[in-house]
Amino acid sequence: MRIATELYLKRLIVGGFEGVYEIGKNFRNEGMDRNHNPEFTCMELYVQYKDYNWMMSFTEQLLEKICVAVNGCPEAVVDGKTISFKAPYRRLPILDAIKEKTGYDLYDKSEDEIREVCRALNMEIDDTMGKGKLIDEIFGEFCEGTFVQPTFITDYPVEMSPLTKKHRSKPGLTERFELMVNGKELANAYSELNDPIDQEERFVEQMRLADKGDDEAMIIDHDFLRALQYGMPPTSGIGIGIDRLVMLMTGHSYIQDVLLFPQMRPEKVAKRDKTEAFTALGIAEEWVAPIQKAGFLTVEALGKLDRPGKLFQDLLDINKKYKLGLKVPVVDEVKAWVEAAAATLPTEAAE
């Protein structure tokens, strides 16, 4: 099962397609919560001779039009908050966002220095985390959830973006953005890295992180490297989570609400006593199923009944509705059943 369509669509760009996209299912080995499902729908788009600046403008115009088409206006209400998809959106470099929310300036900081910042912020970190992972953890902990209105978080460090072209004017950074809405990532995009030598070096660095224990590091894709060696034109690409987009546009708080076949927790199976438990009370076997149909699945539930006459009437109705043809008991028989069941209960339960 695929985790993304990215490298396959980029090979089509190498093959000469001016623009390609796919809306399809991806699969991630992740847990479930209100915003995550292991199987999800994603739209990926790649366009020749464009960069991440063009993609930001395209994205905000696209989302504004979608919101107007769905809601009749460029606004949607989610979790009681009014979110405006009216373009343009705020654009904020990720390190500026971290400085804004935590007070720490991470520009030009080494991995060890960023590790010290994490400790000062009382974060739980480990030795498997490289510079990019540490920055990602800080952003996720202190920044991501604060961006309710659509905000482009831009210019990620190279260590966080192994498939992204280096920034044209900011050393150590890349031309990448993530769109944050209602405290969650909605889209991820960048100016695509099309230098095969640089790409191979990035893959090697990812393998080094994997050796340290980073389970999110990428493996070397030799087929993709070979495609880049043929030559990929300057390209911009984006991935948008369609399920989260539907949640936002329709005002739903849980991703399960917008999936046709969501992953669900196993149903709780109600406790049900065996037939023998009821017949031991003097109840004829043929009446056990109707009693349970009436809602008394256990002897304990039957013993706690304080209105035997109601059960008597329910049994009459069930016998008639389902054409069981059973000999109807008298009220005193039903009362005796209930008394016998109550006699089996501990004193506290009977009370």
PDB file of all heavy atoms in Angstrom, residues 31 35 37 71 87 92 95 101-102 137 142 162 165 169-170 174 185 209 219-221 223 227 245 278 285 299 332 348:
ATOM      1  N   GLY A  31      -1.944   6.171  14.239  1.00  0.00           N
ATOM      2  CA  GLY A  31      -3.133   5.974  15.051  1.00  0.00           C
ATOM      3  C   GLY A  31      -4.306   6.795  14.545  1.00  0.00           C
ATOM      4  O   GLY A  31      -4.184   7.578  13.599  1.00  0.00           O
ATOM      5  N   ASN A  35      -8.508  13.955  13.851  1.00  0.00           N
ATOM      6  CA  ASN A  35      -7.967  14.506  12.604  1.00  0.00           C
ATOM      7  C   ASN A  35      -7.198  13.498  11.759  1.00  0.00           C
ATOM      8  O   ASN A  35      -6.722  13.844  10.689  1.00  0.00           O
ATOM      9  CB  ASN A  35      -7.036  15.692  12.920  1.00  0.00           C
ATOM     10  CG  ASN A  35      -7.776  16.869  13.495  1.00  0.00           C
ATOM     11  OD1 ASN A  35      -8.539  17.533  12.808  1.00  0.00           O
ATOM     12  ND2 ASN A  35      -7.577  17.130  14.780  1.00  0.00           N
ATOM     13  N   ASN A  37      -6.766   9.403  10.128  1.00  0.00           N
ATOM     14  CA  ASN A  37      -7.265   8.072   9.820  1.00  0.00           C
ATOM     15  C   ASN A  37      -6.163   7.362   9.025  1.00  0.00           C
ATOM     16  O   ASN A  37      -5.553   7.967   8.141  1.00  0.00           O
ATOM     17  CB  ASN A  37      -8.546   8.150   8.982  1.00  0.00           C
ATOM     18  CG  ASN A  37      -9.300   6.840   8.976  1.00  0.00           C
ATOM     19  OD1 ASN A  37      -9.805   6.397  10.002  1.00  0.00           O
ATOM     20  ND2 ASN A  37      -9.386   6.211   7.815  1.00  0.00           N
ATOM     21  N   ASN A  71     -20.419  26.937   0.637  1.00  0.00           N
ATOM     22  CA  ASN A  71     -21.138  27.676   1.674  1.00  0.00           C
ATOM     23  C   ASN A  71     -21.794  28.968   1.192  1.00  0.00           C
ATOM     24  O   ASN A  71     -22.481  29.629   1.979  1.00  0.00           O
ATOM     25  CB  ASN A  71     -20.183  28.004   2.824  1.00  0.00           C
ATOM     26  CG  ASN A  71     -19.639  26.753   3.495  1.00  0.00           C
ATOM     27  OD1 ASN A  71     -20.393  25.917   3.960  1.00  0.00           O
ATOM     28  ND2 ASN A  71     -18.317  26.616   3.522  1.00  0.00           N
ATOM     29  N   ALA A  87      -8.758  35.011   0.107  1.00  0.00           N
ATOM     30  CA  ALA A  87      -7.353  35.273  -0.192  1.00  0.00           C
ATOM     31  C   ALA A  87      -7.074  36.775  -0.045  1.00  0.00           C
ATOM     32  O   ALA A  87      -7.979  37.592  -0.217  1.00  0.00           O
ATOM     33  CB  ALA A  87      -7.040  34.802  -1.613  1.00  0.00           C
ATOM     34  N   LEU A  92       4.260  33.147   6.843  1.00  0.00           N
ATOM     35  CA  LEU A  92       5.135  33.288   8.004  1.00  0.00           C
ATOM     36  C   LEU A  92       6.212  32.210   7.990  1.00  0.00           C
ATOM     37  O   LEU A  92       5.900  31.011   8.039  1.00  0.00           O
ATOM     38  CB  LEU A  92       4.301  33.173   9.285  1.00  0.00           C
ATOM     39  CG  LEU A  92       5.028  33.286  10.618  1.00  0.00           C
ATOM     40  CD1 LEU A  92       5.602  34.694  10.802  1.00  0.00           C
ATOM     41  CD2 LEU A  92       4.081  32.953  11.766  1.00  0.00           C
ATOM     42  N   LEU A  95      10.748  29.501  11.308  1.00  0.00           N
ATOM     43  CA  LEU A  95      11.594  29.916  12.418  1.00  0.00           C
ATOM     44  C   LEU A  95      11.096  31.213  13.036  1.00  0.00           C
ATOM     45  O   LEU A  95      11.255  31.434  14.243  1.00  0.00           O
ATOM     46  CB  LEU A  95      13.047  30.045  11.951  1.00  0.00           C
ATOM     47  CG  LEU A  95      13.695  28.748  11.444  1.00  0.00           C
ATOM     48  CD1 LEU A  95      15.158  28.963  11.099  1.00  0.00           C
ATOM     49  CD2 LEU A  95      13.553  27.623  12.471  1.00  0.00           C
ATOM     50  N   LYS A 101       6.214  32.477  19.023  1.00  0.00           N
ATOM     51  CA  LYS A 101       5.451  31.740  20.036  1.00  0.00           C
ATOM     52  C   LYS A 101       6.273  31.345  21.261  1.00  0.00           C
ATOM     53  O   LYS A 101       5.712  31.156  22.348  1.00  0.00           O
ATOM     54  CB  LYS A 101       4.844  30.481  19.414  1.00  0.00           C
ATOM     55  CG  LYS A 101       3.921  30.744  18.227  1.00  0.00           C
ATOM     56  CD  LYS A 101       2.715  31.590  18.604  1.00  0.00           C
ATOM     57  CE  LYS A 101       1.806  31.813  17.392  1.00  0.00           C
ATOM     58  NZ  LYS A 101       0.631  32.644  17.736  1.00  0.00           N
ATOM     59  N   THR A 102       7.594  31.194  21.098  1.00  0.00           N
ATOM     60  CA  THR A 102       8.414  30.732  22.225  1.00  0.00           C
ATOM     61  C   THR A 102       9.435  31.756  22.711  1.00  0.00           C
ATOM     62  O   THR A 102       9.937  31.651  23.829  1.00  0.00           O
ATOM     63  CB  THR A 102       9.191  29.453  21.855  1.00  0.00           C
ATOM     64  OG1 THR A 102      10.214  29.772  20.880  1.00  0.00           O
ATOM     65  CG2 THR A 102       8.258  28.386  21.292  1.00  0.00           C
ATOM     66  N   GLU A 137       9.398  19.224  16.263  1.00  0.00           N
ATOM     67  CA  GLU A 137       8.774  18.981  17.558  1.00  0.00           C
ATOM     68  C   GLU A 137       8.434  20.294  18.256  1.00  0.00           C
ATOM     69  O   GLU A 137       7.368  20.427  18.869  1.00  0.00           O
ATOM     70  CB  GLU A 137       9.705  18.137  18.435  1.00  0.00           C
ATOM     71  CG  GLU A 137       9.861  16.695  17.985  1.00  0.00           C
ATOM     72  CD  GLU A 137       8.578  15.898  18.135  1.00  0.00           C
ATOM     73  OE1 GLU A 137       7.961  15.970  19.218  1.00  0.00           O
ATOM     74  OE2 GLU A 137       8.187  15.211  17.177  1.00  0.00           O
ATOM     75  N   PHE A 142       4.363  24.066  20.226  1.00  0.00           N
ATOM     76  CA  PHE A 142       4.073  25.435  20.645  1.00  0.00           C
ATOM     77  C   PHE A 142       3.410  26.320  19.584  1.00  0.00           C
ATOM     78  O   PHE A 142       2.908  27.394  19.926  1.00  0.00           O
ATOM     79  CB  PHE A 142       5.372  26.119  21.121  1.00  0.00           C
ATOM     80  CG  PHE A 142       5.987  25.475  22.324  1.00  0.00           C
ATOM     81  CD1 PHE A 142       7.010  24.566  22.187  1.00  0.00           C
ATOM     82  CD2 PHE A 142       5.516  25.775  23.595  1.00  0.00           C
ATOM     83  CE1 PHE A 142       7.585  23.965  23.302  1.00  0.00           C
ATOM     84  CE2 PHE A 142       6.079  25.178  24.717  1.00  0.00           C
ATOM     85  CZ  PHE A 142       7.116  24.264  24.572  1.00  0.00           C
ATOM     86  N   PRO A 162      13.680  16.870   2.690  1.00  0.00           N
ATOM     87  CA  PRO A 162      14.636  16.146   1.833  1.00  0.00           C
ATOM     88  C   PRO A 162      14.310  16.175   0.348  1.00  0.00           C
ATOM     89  O   PRO A 162      15.156  15.799  -0.461  1.00  0.00           O
ATOM     90  CB  PRO A 162      14.570  14.713   2.374  1.00  0.00           C
ATOM     91  CG  PRO A 162      13.228  14.616   3.029  1.00  0.00           C
ATOM     92  CD  PRO A 162      12.963  15.974   3.606  1.00  0.00           C
ATOM     93  N   LYS A 165      13.734  22.074  -2.992  1.00  0.00           N
ATOM     94  CA  LYS A 165      14.819  22.907  -3.518  1.00  0.00           C
ATOM     95  C   LYS A 165      15.274  23.908  -2.456  1.00  0.00           C
ATOM     96  O   LYS A 165      14.456  24.470  -1.716  1.00  0.00           O
ATOM     97  CB  LYS A 165      14.353  23.654  -4.764  1.00  0.00           C
ATOM     98  CG  LYS A 165      15.428  24.524  -5.417  1.00  0.00           C
ATOM     99  CD  LYS A 165      14.943  25.122  -6.726  1.00  0.00           C
ATOM    100  CE  LYS A 165      14.877  24.043  -7.805  1.00  0.00           C
ATOM    101  NZ  LYS A 165      14.601  24.624  -9.145  1.00  0.00           N
ATOM    102  N   SER A 169      17.549  32.599  -1.662  1.00  0.00           N
ATOM    103  CA  SER A 169      18.245  33.715  -1.022  1.00  0.00           C
ATOM    104  C   SER A 169      18.502  33.523   0.475  1.00  0.00           C
ATOM    105  O   SER A 169      19.135  34.372   1.088  1.00  0.00           O
ATOM    106  CB  SER A 169      17.436  35.012  -1.216  1.00  0.00           C
ATOM    107  OG  SER A 169      16.154  34.907  -0.611  1.00  0.00           O
ATOM    108  N   LYS A 170      18.034  32.417   1.041  1.00  0.00           N
ATOM    109  CA  LYS A 170      18.198  32.193   2.480  1.00  0.00           C
ATOM    110  C   LYS A 170      18.962  30.888   2.702  1.00  0.00           C
ATOM    111  O   LYS A 170      18.384  29.801   2.635  1.00  0.00           O
ATOM    112  CB  LYS A 170      16.844  32.134   3.186  1.00  0.00           C
ATOM    113  CG  LYS A 170      16.018  33.411   3.044  1.00  0.00           C
ATOM    114  CD  LYS A 170      14.665  33.263   3.730  1.00  0.00           C
ATOM    115  CE  LYS A 170      13.821  34.517   3.573  1.00  0.00           C
ATOM    116  NZ  LYS A 170      12.478  34.348   4.208  1.00  0.00           N
ATOM    117  N   THR A 174      14.730  26.073   2.759  1.00  0.00           N
ATOM    118  CA  THR A 174      14.181  25.572   1.502  1.00  0.00           C
ATOM    119  C   THR A 174      12.915  26.327   1.131  1.00  0.00           C
ATOM    120  O   THR A 174      12.323  27.019   1.962  1.00  0.00           O
ATOM    121  CB  THR A 174      13.825  24.070   1.618  1.00  0.00           C
ATOM    122  OG1 THR A 174      12.827  23.904   2.641  1.00  0.00           O
ATOM    123  CG2 THR A 174      15.045  23.236   1.949  1.00  0.00           C
ATOM    124  N   GLU A 185      -2.360  20.940   9.916  1.00  0.00           N
ATOM    125  CA  GLU A 185      -1.840  21.030   8.553  1.00  0.00           C
ATOM    126  C   GLU A 185      -2.909  20.580   7.556  1.00  0.00           C
ATOM    127  O   GLU A 185      -3.502  19.518   7.705  1.00  0.00           O
ATOM    128  CB  GLU A 185      -0.610  20.136   8.413  1.00  0.00           C
ATOM    129  CG  GLU A 185      -0.071  20.034   6.986  1.00  0.00           C
ATOM    130  CD  GLU A 185       0.877  18.871   6.791  1.00  0.00           C
ATOM    131  OE1 GLU A 185       1.344  18.301   7.798  1.00  0.00           O
ATOM    132  OE2 GLU A 185       1.131  18.510   5.627  1.00  0.00           O
ATOM    133  N   LEU A 209      20.002   9.418   9.428  1.00  0.00           N
ATOM    134  CA  LEU A 209      19.011   9.625  10.487  1.00  0.00           C
ATOM    135  C   LEU A 209      18.263   8.332  10.797  1.00  0.00           C
ATOM    136  O   LEU A 209      17.935   8.050  11.945  1.00  0.00           O
ATOM    137  CB  LEU A 209      18.025  10.718  10.059  1.00  0.00           C
ATOM    138  CG  LEU A 209      18.612  12.127   9.920  1.00  0.00           C
ATOM    139  CD1 LEU A 209      17.562  13.081   9.369  1.00  0.00           C
ATOM    140  CD2 LEU A 209      19.129  12.629  11.265  1.00  0.00           C
ATOM    141  N   ILE A 219      13.995   6.410   2.759  1.00  0.00           N
ATOM    142  CA  ILE A 219      15.012   5.529   2.196  1.00  0.00           C
ATOM    143  C   ILE A 219      15.378   6.038   0.805  1.00  0.00           C
ATOM    144  O   ILE A 219      14.636   6.813   0.194  1.00  0.00           O
ATOM    145  CB  ILE A 219      14.517   4.075   2.119  1.00  0.00           C
ATOM    146  CG1 ILE A 219      13.309   3.972   1.169  1.00  0.00           C
ATOM    147  CG2 ILE A 219      14.175   3.541   3.495  1.00  0.00           C
ATOM    148  CD1 ILE A 219      12.877   2.549   0.900  1.00  0.00           C
ATOM    149  N   ILE A 220      16.526   5.606   0.306  1.00  0.00           N
ATOM    150  CA  ILE A 220      16.967   6.037  -1.019  1.00  0.00           C
ATOM    151  C   ILE A 220      16.091   5.399  -2.098  1.00  0.00           C
ATOM    152  O   ILE A 220      15.904   4.181  -2.115  1.00  0.00           O
ATOM    153  CB  ILE A 220      18.442   5.664  -1.260  1.00  0.00           C
ATOM    154  CG1 ILE A 220      19.341   6.417  -0.272  1.00  0.00           C
ATOM    155  CG2 ILE A 220      18.848   5.983  -2.690  1.00  0.00           C
ATOM    156  CD1 ILE A 220      20.814   6.088  -0.422  1.00  0.00           C
ATOM    157  N   ASP A 221      15.550   6.227  -2.968  1.00  0.00           N
ATOM    158  CA  ASP A 221      14.748   5.740  -4.094  1.00  0.00           C
ATOM    159  C   ASP A 221      15.600   5.877  -5.357  1.00  0.00           C
ATOM    160  O   ASP A 221      15.674   6.948  -5.969  1.00  0.00           O
ATOM    161  CB  ASP A 221      13.457   6.557  -4.214  1.00  0.00           C
ATOM    162  CG  ASP A 221      12.489   5.962  -5.227  1.00  0.00           C
ATOM    163  OD1 ASP A 221      12.956   5.536  -6.300  1.00  0.00           O
ATOM    164  OD2 ASP A 221      11.278   5.934  -4.962  1.00  0.00           O
ATOM    165  N   ASP A 223      15.243   4.574  -8.336  1.00  0.00           N
ATOM    166  CA  ASP A 223      14.480   4.825  -9.564  1.00  0.00           C
ATOM    167  C   ASP A 223      14.191   6.314  -9.734  1.00  0.00           C
ATOM    168  O   ASP A 223      14.275   6.855 -10.842  1.00  0.00           O
ATOM    169  CB  ASP A 223      13.165   4.038  -9.547  1.00  0.00           C
ATOM    170  CG  ASP A 223      13.385   2.542  -9.702  1.00  0.00           C
ATOM    171  OD1 ASP A 223      14.457   2.169 -10.224  1.00  0.00           O
ATOM    172  OD2 ASP A 223      12.504   1.766  -9.306  1.00  0.00           O
ATOM    173  N   ALA A 227      15.494   8.987 -12.632  1.00  0.00           N
ATOM    174  CA  ALA A 227      14.595   9.863 -13.378  1.00  0.00           C
ATOM    175  C   ALA A 227      15.097  11.297 -13.354  1.00  0.00           C
ATOM    176  O   ALA A 227      15.083  11.999 -14.387  1.00  0.00           O
ATOM    177  CB  ALA A 227      13.185   9.786 -12.787  1.00  0.00           C
ATOM    178  N   LEU A 245      -9.971  18.755   4.292  1.00  0.00           N
ATOM    179  CA  LEU A 245     -10.583  19.864   3.564  1.00  0.00           C
ATOM    180  C   LEU A 245     -12.108  19.785   3.652  1.00  0.00           C
ATOM    181  O   LEU A 245     -12.786  20.791   3.889  1.00  0.00           O
ATOM    182  CB  LEU A 245     -10.130  19.846   2.103  1.00  0.00           C
ATOM    183  CG  LEU A 245     -10.732  20.921   1.186  1.00  0.00           C
ATOM    184  CD1 LEU A 245     -10.357  22.310   1.693  1.00  0.00           C
ATOM    185  CD2 LEU A 245     -10.253  20.737  -0.251  1.00  0.00           C
ATOM    186  N   PHE A 278     -31.891 -19.059  32.629  1.00  0.00           N
ATOM    187  CA  PHE A 278     -33.300 -18.675  32.755  1.00  0.00           C
ATOM    188  C   PHE A 278     -34.172 -19.896  33.085  1.00  0.00           C
ATOM    189  O   PHE A 278     -35.076 -19.819  33.925  1.00  0.00           O
ATOM    190  CB  PHE A 278     -33.789 -18.018  31.464  1.00  0.00           C
ATOM    191  CG  PHE A 278     -33.229 -16.642  31.232  1.00  0.00           C
ATOM    192  CD1 PHE A 278     -32.051 -16.463  30.526  1.00  0.00           C
ATOM    193  CD2 PHE A 278     -33.874 -15.515  31.725  1.00  0.00           C
ATOM    194  CE1 PHE A 278     -31.527 -15.201  30.309  1.00  0.00           C
ATOM    195  CE2 PHE A 278     -33.365 -14.240  31.507  1.00  0.00           C
ATOM    196  CZ  PHE A 278     -32.186 -14.079  30.806  1.00  0.00           C
ATOM    197  N   GLU A 285     -38.298 -22.905  28.217  1.00  0.00           N
ATOM    198  CA  GLU A 285     -37.220 -22.551  27.292  1.00  0.00           C
ATOM    199  C   GLU A 285     -37.695 -21.664  26.151  1.00  0.00           C
ATOM    200  O   GLU A 285     -36.981 -20.756  25.714  1.00  0.00           O
ATOM    201  CB  GLU A 285     -36.594 -23.828  26.737  1.00  0.00           C
ATOM    202  CG  GLU A 285     -35.411 -23.571  25.814  1.00  0.00           C
ATOM    203  CD  GLU A 285     -34.735 -24.862  25.375  1.00  0.00           C
ATOM    204  OE1 GLU A 285     -34.951 -25.916  26.022  1.00  0.00           O
ATOM    205  OE2 GLU A 285     -33.991 -24.812  24.366  1.00  0.00           O
ATOM    206  N   VAL A 299     -30.195 -12.717  33.819  1.00  0.00           N
ATOM    207  CA  VAL A 299     -31.029 -12.980  34.988  1.00  0.00           C
ATOM    208  C   VAL A 299     -30.974 -11.791  35.945  1.00  0.00           C
ATOM    209  O   VAL A 299     -31.982 -11.419  36.568  1.00  0.00           O
ATOM    210  CB  VAL A 299     -30.565 -14.277  35.688  1.00  0.00           C
ATOM    211  CG1 VAL A 299     -31.233 -14.430  37.060  1.00  0.00           C
ATOM    212  CG2 VAL A 299     -30.837 -15.489  34.812  1.00  0.00           C
ATOM    213  N   ASP A 332     -49.290 -13.844  37.076  1.00  0.00           N
ATOM    214  CA  ASP A 332     -48.654 -14.401  38.271  1.00  0.00           C
ATOM    215  C   ASP A 332     -47.422 -15.230  37.925  1.00  0.00           C
ATOM    216  O   ASP A 332     -46.450 -15.271  38.687  1.00  0.00           O
ATOM    217  CB  ASP A 332     -49.660 -15.259  39.045  1.00  0.00           C
ATOM    218  CG  ASP A 332     -50.715 -14.409  39.757  1.00  0.00           C
ATOM    219  OD1 ASP A 332     -50.471 -13.198  39.914  1.00  0.00           O
ATOM    220  OD2 ASP A 332     -51.768 -14.960  40.137  1.00  0.00           O
ATOM    221  N   GLU A 348     -27.386  -6.361  47.903  1.00  0.00           N
ATOM    222  CA  GLU A 348     -27.208  -4.987  47.413  1.00  0.00           C
ATOM    223  C   GLU A 348     -27.816  -4.830  46.034  1.00  0.00           C
ATOM    224  O   GLU A 348     -28.471  -3.831  45.723  1.00  0.00           O
ATOM    225  CB  GLU A 348     -25.713  -4.614  47.350  1.00  0.00           C
ATOM    226  CG  GLU A 348     -25.026  -4.616  48.698  1.00  0.00           C
ATOM    227  CD  GLU A 348     -24.621  -6.015  49.147  1.00  0.00           C
ATOM    228  OE1 GLU A 348     -24.877  -6.984  48.387  1.00  0.00           O
ATOM    229  OE2 GLU A 348     -24.078  -6.148  50.255  1.00  0.00           O
TER     230      GLU A 348
END
